PDB file of all heavy atoms in Angstrom:
ATOM      1  N   ALA A  15      -4.171 -11.681   4.087  1.00  0.00           N
ATOM      2  CA  ALA A  15      -3.761 -10.386   4.599  1.00  0.00           C
ATOM      3  C   ALA A  15      -4.775  -9.269   4.235  1.00  0.00           C
ATOM      4  O   ALA A  15      -4.732  -8.206   4.881  1.00  0.00           O
ATOM      5  CB  ALA A  15      -2.408 -10.009   4.033  1.00  0.00           C
ATOM      6  N   SER A  16      -5.675  -9.555   3.316  1.00  0.00           N
ATOM      7  CA  SER A  16      -6.749  -8.562   2.997  1.00  0.00           C
ATOM      8  C   SER A  16      -7.660  -8.289   4.136  1.00  0.00           C
ATOM      9  O   SER A  16      -8.406  -7.292   4.116  1.00  0.00           O
ATOM     10  CB  SER A  16      -7.419  -8.985   1.717  1.00  0.00           C
ATOM     11  OG  SER A  16      -8.131 -10.184   1.986  1.00  0.00           O
ATOM     12  N   THR A  17      -7.707  -9.115   5.170  1.00  0.00           N
ATOM     13  CA  THR A  17      -8.486  -8.953   6.329  1.00  0.00           C
ATOM     14  C   THR A  17      -8.022  -7.815   7.147  1.00  0.00           C
ATOM     15  O   THR A  17      -8.763  -7.191   7.951  1.00  0.00           O
ATOM     16  CB  THR A  17      -8.517 -10.263   7.078  1.00  0.00           C
ATOM     17  OG1 THR A  17      -9.016 -11.290   6.315  1.00  0.00           O
ATOM     18  CG2 THR A  17      -9.479 -10.156   8.353  1.00  0.00           C
ATOM     19  N   TYR A  18      -6.769  -7.469   6.974  1.00  0.00           N
ATOM     20  CA  TYR A  18      -6.106  -6.536   7.925  1.00  0.00           C
ATOM     21  C   TYR A  18      -5.556  -5.259   7.215  1.00  0.00           C
ATOM     22  O   TYR A  18      -5.045  -5.342   6.133  1.00  0.00           O
ATOM     23  CB  TYR A  18      -4.953  -7.263   8.630  1.00  0.00           C
ATOM     24  CG  TYR A  18      -5.422  -8.473   9.358  1.00  0.00           C
ATOM     25  CD1 TYR A  18      -5.314  -9.697   8.840  1.00  0.00           C
ATOM     26  CD2 TYR A  18      -5.848  -8.297  10.707  1.00  0.00           C
ATOM     27  CE1 TYR A  18      -5.742 -10.788   9.574  1.00  0.00           C
ATOM     28  CE2 TYR A  18      -6.298  -9.463  11.402  1.00  0.00           C
ATOM     29  CZ  TYR A  18      -6.216 -10.713  10.806  1.00  0.00           C
ATOM     30  OH  TYR A  18      -6.555 -11.823  11.531  1.00  0.00           O
ATOM     31  N   ALA A  19      -5.560  -4.191   8.050  1.00  0.00           N
ATOM     32  CA  ALA A  19      -4.741  -3.049   7.670  1.00  0.00           C
ATOM     33  C   ALA A  19      -3.338  -3.394   8.038  1.00  0.00           C
ATOM     34  O   ALA A  19      -3.119  -4.101   8.968  1.00  0.00           O
ATOM     35  CB  ALA A  19      -5.197  -1.820   8.451  1.00  0.00           C
ATOM     36  N   MET A  20      -2.332  -2.875   7.237  1.00  0.00           N
ATOM     37  CA  MET A  20      -1.016  -3.254   7.497  1.00  0.00           C
ATOM     38  C   MET A  20      -0.229  -1.986   7.653  1.00  0.00           C
ATOM     39  O   MET A  20      -0.581  -0.990   7.139  1.00  0.00           O
ATOM     40  CB  MET A  20      -0.446  -4.045   6.332  1.00  0.00           C
ATOM     41  CG  MET A  20      -1.209  -5.294   5.976  1.00  0.00           C
ATOM     42  SD  MET A  20      -1.037  -6.653   7.210  1.00  0.00           S
ATOM     43  CE  MET A  20       0.687  -6.983   6.993  1.00  0.00           C
ATOM     44  N   ALA A  21       0.932  -2.085   8.348  1.00  0.00           N
ATOM     45  CA  ALA A  21       1.763  -0.953   8.662  1.00  0.00           C
ATOM     46  C   ALA A  21       3.135  -1.331   8.887  1.00  0.00           C
ATOM     47  O   ALA A  21       3.524  -2.460   9.109  1.00  0.00           O
ATOM     48  CB  ALA A  21       1.221  -0.196   9.971  1.00  0.00           C
ATOM     49  N   TRP A  22       3.997  -0.336   8.702  1.00  0.00           N
ATOM     50  CA  TRP A  22       5.459  -0.440   9.005  1.00  0.00           C
ATOM     51  C   TRP A  22       5.789   0.485  10.142  1.00  0.00           C
ATOM     52  O   TRP A  22       5.402   1.672  10.106  1.00  0.00           O
ATOM     53  CB  TRP A  22       6.280  -0.138   7.763  1.00  0.00           C
ATOM     54  CG  TRP A  22       6.275  -1.202   6.708  1.00  0.00           C
ATOM     55  CD1 TRP A  22       5.507  -1.201   5.614  1.00  0.00           C
ATOM     56  CD2 TRP A  22       7.081  -2.389   6.633  1.00  0.00           C
ATOM     57  NE1 TRP A  22       5.683  -2.310   4.833  1.00  0.00           N
ATOM     58  CE2 TRP A  22       6.628  -3.041   5.437  1.00  0.00           C
ATOM     59  CE3 TRP A  22       8.075  -2.908   7.470  1.00  0.00           C
ATOM     60  CZ2 TRP A  22       7.292  -4.353   5.092  1.00  0.00           C
ATOM     61  CZ3 TRP A  22       8.621  -4.156   7.060  1.00  0.00           C
ATOM     62  CH2 TRP A  22       8.181  -4.823   5.882  1.00  0.00           C
ATOM     63  N   PHE A  23       6.563   0.019  11.085  1.00  0.00           N
ATOM     64  CA  PHE A  23       7.108   0.827  12.169  1.00  0.00           C
ATOM     65  C   PHE A  23       8.624   0.557  12.091  1.00  0.00           C
ATOM     66  O   PHE A  23       9.176  -0.339  11.540  1.00  0.00           O
ATOM     67  CB  PHE A  23       6.537   0.375  13.465  1.00  0.00           C
ATOM     68  CG  PHE A  23       5.183   0.750  13.717  1.00  0.00           C
ATOM     69  CD1 PHE A  23       4.072   0.072  13.122  1.00  0.00           C
ATOM     70  CD2 PHE A  23       4.799   1.815  14.545  1.00  0.00           C
ATOM     71  CE1 PHE A  23       2.786   0.363  13.343  1.00  0.00           C
ATOM     72  CE2 PHE A  23       3.515   2.202  14.721  1.00  0.00           C
ATOM     73  CZ  PHE A  23       2.455   1.460  14.137  1.00  0.00           C
ATOM     74  N   ARG A  24       9.349   1.414  12.816  1.00  0.00           N
ATOM     75  CA  ARG A  24      10.730   1.243  12.999  1.00  0.00           C
ATOM     76  C   ARG A  24      11.248   1.715  14.350  1.00  0.00           C
ATOM     77  O   ARG A  24      10.638   2.490  14.940  1.00  0.00           O
ATOM     78  CB  ARG A  24      11.567   2.064  11.815  1.00  0.00           C
ATOM     79  CG  ARG A  24      11.449   3.528  11.948  1.00  0.00           C
ATOM     80  CD  ARG A  24      12.132   4.187  10.782  1.00  0.00           C
ATOM     81  NE  ARG A  24      12.068   5.668  10.888  1.00  0.00           N
ATOM     82  CZ  ARG A  24      12.498   6.459   9.857  1.00  0.00           C
ATOM     83  NH1 ARG A  24      12.983   5.945   8.757  1.00  0.00           N
ATOM     84  NH2 ARG A  24      12.472   7.811  10.067  1.00  0.00           N
ATOM     85  N   GLN A  25      12.350   1.109  14.750  1.00  0.00           N
ATOM     86  CA  GLN A  25      12.920   1.458  16.038  1.00  0.00           C
ATOM     87  C   GLN A  25      14.404   1.500  15.968  1.00  0.00           C
ATOM     88  O   GLN A  25      15.092   0.507  15.614  1.00  0.00           O
ATOM     89  CB  GLN A  25      12.403   0.371  17.107  1.00  0.00           C
ATOM     90  CG  GLN A  25      12.866   0.791  18.447  1.00  0.00           C
ATOM     91  CD  GLN A  25      12.166  -0.072  19.575  1.00  0.00           C
ATOM     92  OE1 GLN A  25      11.664  -1.172  19.240  1.00  0.00           O
ATOM     93  NE2 GLN A  25      12.073   0.426  20.760  1.00  0.00           N
ATOM     94  N   ALA A  26      14.970   2.595  16.276  1.00  0.00           N
ATOM     95  CA  ALA A  26      16.382   2.777  16.306  1.00  0.00           C
ATOM     96  C   ALA A  26      16.989   2.547  17.726  1.00  0.00           C
ATOM     97  O   ALA A  26      16.176   2.692  18.662  1.00  0.00           O
ATOM     98  CB  ALA A  26      16.824   4.172  15.800  1.00  0.00           C
ATOM     99  N   PRO A  27      18.137   2.194  17.886  1.00  0.00           N
ATOM    100  CA  PRO A  27      18.757   2.015  19.235  1.00  0.00           C
ATOM    101  C   PRO A  27      18.458   3.292  20.142  1.00  0.00           C
ATOM    102  O   PRO A  27      18.770   4.375  19.740  1.00  0.00           O
ATOM    103  CB  PRO A  27      20.209   1.770  19.008  1.00  0.00           C
ATOM    104  CG  PRO A  27      20.286   1.176  17.636  1.00  0.00           C
ATOM    105  CD  PRO A  27      19.118   1.920  16.907  1.00  0.00           C
ATOM    106  N   GLY A  28      18.002   3.029  21.295  1.00  0.00           N
ATOM    107  CA  GLY A  28      17.764   4.141  22.286  1.00  0.00           C
ATOM    108  C   GLY A  28      16.526   4.965  22.008  1.00  0.00           C
ATOM    109  O   GLY A  28      16.340   5.987  22.699  1.00  0.00           O
ATOM    110  N   LYS A  29      15.759   4.581  20.996  1.00  0.00           N
ATOM    111  CA  LYS A  29      14.611   5.405  20.628  1.00  0.00           C
ATOM    112  C   LYS A  29      13.320   4.582  20.705  1.00  0.00           C
ATOM    113  O   LYS A  29      13.350   3.315  20.745  1.00  0.00           O
ATOM    114  CB  LYS A  29      14.693   5.973  19.244  1.00  0.00           C
ATOM    115  CG  LYS A  29      15.873   6.955  19.072  1.00  0.00           C
ATOM    116  CD  LYS A  29      15.849   7.542  17.657  1.00  0.00           C
ATOM    117  CE  LYS A  29      16.918   8.538  17.523  1.00  0.00           C
ATOM    118  NZ  LYS A  29      16.916   9.186  16.114  1.00  0.00           N
ATOM    119  N   GLU A  30      12.194   5.172  20.829  1.00  0.00           N
ATOM    120  CA  GLU A  30      10.898   4.585  20.855  1.00  0.00           C
ATOM    121  C   GLU A  30      10.503   4.051  19.458  1.00  0.00           C
ATOM    122  O   GLU A  30      11.041   4.589  18.525  1.00  0.00           O
ATOM    123  CB  GLU A  30       9.791   5.494  21.356  1.00  0.00           C
ATOM    124  CG  GLU A  30       9.977   6.052  22.779  1.00  0.00           C
ATOM    125  CD  GLU A  30       9.791   4.913  23.808  1.00  0.00           C
ATOM    126  OE1 GLU A  30       8.832   4.052  23.598  1.00  0.00           O
ATOM    127  OE2 GLU A  30      10.486   4.868  24.770  1.00  0.00           O
ATOM    128  N   ARG A  31       9.725   2.995  19.422  1.00  0.00           N
ATOM    129  CA  ARG A  31       9.256   2.506  18.117  1.00  0.00           C
ATOM    130  C   ARG A  31       8.348   3.614  17.536  1.00  0.00           C
ATOM    131  O   ARG A  31       7.409   4.080  18.206  1.00  0.00           O
ATOM    132  CB  ARG A  31       8.501   1.232  18.279  1.00  0.00           C
ATOM    133  CG  ARG A  31       8.032   0.545  16.985  1.00  0.00           C
ATOM    134  CD  ARG A  31       7.607  -0.846  17.235  1.00  0.00           C
ATOM    135  NE  ARG A  31       8.579  -1.664  17.845  1.00  0.00           N
ATOM    136  CZ  ARG A  31       8.381  -3.012  18.034  1.00  0.00           C
ATOM    137  NH1 ARG A  31       7.317  -3.594  17.657  1.00  0.00           N
ATOM    138  NH2 ARG A  31       9.419  -3.686  18.593  1.00  0.00           N
ATOM    139  N   GLU A  32       8.574   3.910  16.222  1.00  0.00           N
ATOM    140  CA  GLU A  32       7.786   4.948  15.605  1.00  0.00           C
ATOM    141  C   GLU A  32       7.077   4.515  14.399  1.00  0.00           C
ATOM    142  O   GLU A  32       7.485   3.623  13.685  1.00  0.00           O
ATOM    143  CB  GLU A  32       8.708   6.138  15.273  1.00  0.00           C
ATOM    144  CG  GLU A  32       9.724   5.884  14.212  1.00  0.00           C
ATOM    145  CD  GLU A  32      10.541   7.083  13.780  1.00  0.00           C
ATOM    146  OE1 GLU A  32      10.146   8.195  14.178  1.00  0.00           O
ATOM    147  OE2 GLU A  32      11.567   6.968  13.180  1.00  0.00           O
ATOM    148  N   PHE A  33       5.944   5.154  14.143  1.00  0.00           N
ATOM    149  CA  PHE A  33       5.164   4.889  12.986  1.00  0.00           C
ATOM    150  C   PHE A  33       5.854   5.335  11.720  1.00  0.00           C
ATOM    151  O   PHE A  33       6.424   6.445  11.628  1.00  0.00           O
ATOM    152  CB  PHE A  33       3.780   5.509  13.074  1.00  0.00           C
ATOM    153  CG  PHE A  33       2.986   5.530  11.841  1.00  0.00           C
ATOM    154  CD1 PHE A  33       2.340   4.307  11.413  1.00  0.00           C
ATOM    155  CD2 PHE A  33       2.898   6.607  11.037  1.00  0.00           C
ATOM    156  CE1 PHE A  33       1.561   4.306  10.262  1.00  0.00           C
ATOM    157  CE2 PHE A  33       2.122   6.557   9.874  1.00  0.00           C
ATOM    158  CZ  PHE A  33       1.457   5.468   9.465  1.00  0.00           C
ATOM    159  N   VAL A  34       5.811   4.481  10.637  1.00  0.00           N
ATOM    160  CA  VAL A  34       6.444   4.889   9.369  1.00  0.00           C
ATOM    161  C   VAL A  34       5.319   5.012   8.387  1.00  0.00           C
ATOM    162  O   VAL A  34       5.248   6.071   7.748  1.00  0.00           O
ATOM    163  CB  VAL A  34       7.442   3.794   8.922  1.00  0.00           C
ATOM    164  CG1 VAL A  34       7.974   4.190   7.502  1.00  0.00           C
ATOM    165  CG2 VAL A  34       8.594   3.709   9.919  1.00  0.00           C
ATOM    166  N   SER A  35       4.544   3.959   8.099  1.00  0.00           N
ATOM    167  CA  SER A  35       3.528   4.063   7.061  1.00  0.00           C
ATOM    168  C   SER A  35       2.567   2.949   7.238  1.00  0.00           C
ATOM    169  O   SER A  35       2.799   1.964   7.867  1.00  0.00           O
ATOM    170  CB  SER A  35       4.204   3.930   5.698  1.00  0.00           C
ATOM    171  OG  SER A  35       3.359   4.276   4.608  1.00  0.00           O
ATOM    172  N   ALA A  36       1.325   3.202   6.759  1.00  0.00           N
ATOM    173  CA  ALA A  36       0.225   2.245   6.899  1.00  0.00           C
ATOM    174  C   ALA A  36      -0.633   2.207   5.596  1.00  0.00           C
ATOM    175  O   ALA A  36      -0.682   3.249   4.896  1.00  0.00           O
ATOM    176  CB  ALA A  36      -0.596   2.487   8.082  1.00  0.00           C
ATOM    177  N   VAL A  37      -1.221   1.100   5.343  1.00  0.00           N
ATOM    178  CA  VAL A  37      -2.158   0.943   4.172  1.00  0.00           C
ATOM    179  C   VAL A  37      -3.386   0.224   4.673  1.00  0.00           C
ATOM    180  O   VAL A  37      -3.325  -0.656   5.474  1.00  0.00           O
ATOM    181  CB  VAL A  37      -1.438   0.180   3.072  1.00  0.00           C
ATOM    182  CG1 VAL A  37      -0.992  -1.169   3.491  1.00  0.00           C
ATOM    183  CG2 VAL A  37      -2.400   0.113   1.874  1.00  0.00           C
ATOM    184  N   SER A  38      -4.516   0.671   4.131  1.00  0.00           N
ATOM    185  CA  SER A  38      -5.843   0.116   4.572  1.00  0.00           C
ATOM    186  C   SER A  38      -5.967  -1.242   3.931  1.00  0.00           C
ATOM    187  O   SER A  38      -5.203  -1.722   3.088  1.00  0.00           O
ATOM    188  CB  SER A  38      -6.974   0.987   4.055  1.00  0.00           C
ATOM    189  OG  SER A  38      -6.946   1.076   2.616  1.00  0.00           O
ATOM    190  N   ARG A  39      -7.063  -1.929   4.320  1.00  0.00           N
ATOM    191  CA  ARG A  39      -7.220  -3.334   3.851  1.00  0.00           C
ATOM    192  C   ARG A  39      -7.281  -3.476   2.390  1.00  0.00           C
ATOM    193  O   ARG A  39      -6.763  -4.430   1.838  1.00  0.00           O
ATOM    194  CB  ARG A  39      -8.542  -3.916   4.567  1.00  0.00           C
ATOM    195  CG  ARG A  39      -8.456  -4.109   5.986  1.00  0.00           C
ATOM    196  CD  ARG A  39      -9.724  -4.823   6.548  1.00  0.00           C
ATOM    197  NE  ARG A  39     -10.849  -3.975   6.328  1.00  0.00           N
ATOM    198  CZ  ARG A  39     -12.142  -4.428   6.432  1.00  0.00           C
ATOM    199  NH1 ARG A  39     -12.309  -5.685   6.698  1.00  0.00           N
ATOM    200  NH2 ARG A  39     -13.129  -3.615   6.209  1.00  0.00           N
ATOM    201  N   GLY A  40      -8.030  -2.529   1.751  1.00  0.00           N
ATOM    202  CA  GLY A  40      -8.124  -2.654   0.293  1.00  0.00           C
ATOM    203  C   GLY A  40      -6.987  -2.020  -0.449  1.00  0.00           C
ATOM    204  O   GLY A  40      -6.928  -2.172  -1.727  1.00  0.00           O
TER     205      GLY A  40
END
């Protein structure tokens, strides 16, 4: 997983998927 930046998104019913948080590779 260190090869990639990672992120969390969330999607509530009837809503668009939205960005929550992200972390760089290191």
Side-chain angles (χ1 to χ4, degrees):
S16 64
T17 304
Y18 303 94
M20 305 290 291
W22 289 96
F23 289 78
R24 66 186 182 186
Q25 187 167 21
K29 296 184 178 181
E30 297 291 322
R31 187 170 300 187
E32 66 175 345
F33 170 78
V34 175
S35 192
V37 59
S38 63
R39 291 185 296 167

